[in-house]
Structures are given as C-alpha cells and as structure tokens.
C-alpha cells in the first residue's frame, strides 16, 4: 500500500507552465495599465466639472431627464 501511495504522489507531480515574462515584468505591465487608466480618469474629471453647473431646473424634484 505504501509503495502504491508513493508511486501516485510521484506520478502526480506536474511541470509548471512557463510564464511569458518574469514576474516583475508582468507586475510592471499591470502597474503601467492601471496608471494609464488613472490618467484617463483624471483627464475626464475636468469634463465633469464643466457640466456641473448646467443642470436644468427640474419641476418635480426628481431629475428624470438625465
């Protein structure tokens, strides 16, 4: 029984798939993507501030005309 268990454990060892790049490079790419998304979000912040004061007065208190 013990030799069977050992053979199953040895047979179940799998070789890991190689990465396309080292882990620090993949982390740097992910950080760069998040930085770019943050810059795009920051760029559109000005657009939201320009349209803040252009609301039409609503008649019912509910802003249904988005």
């Amino acid at each position: 029984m013990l030799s069977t268990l050992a053979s199953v454990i040895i047979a179940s060892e799998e070789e890991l798939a190689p990465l396309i790049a080292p882990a620090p490079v993949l982390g740097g790419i992910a950080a760069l993507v998040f930085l770019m998304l943050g810059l795009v979000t920051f760029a559109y912040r000005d657009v939201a501030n320009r349209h803040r004061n252009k609301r039409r007065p609503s008649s019912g208190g509910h802003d249904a005309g988005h």
Side-chain angles (χ1 to χ4, degrees), residues 7-31:
S7 63
V8 169
I9 291 173
I10 292 171
S12 67
E13 290 183 20
E14 296 180 9
E15 198 172 313
L16 297 176
L19 295 175
I20 59 173
V25 172
L26 294 176
I29 291 171

Side-chain angles (χ1 to χ4, degrees), residues 24-46:
V25 172
L26 294 176
I29 291 171
L32 185 64
V33 167
F34 281 113
L35 179 67
M36 297 288 285
L37 289 172
L39 288 174
V40 169
T41 303
F42 185 76
Y44 279 98
R45 182 181 62 103
D46 185 47

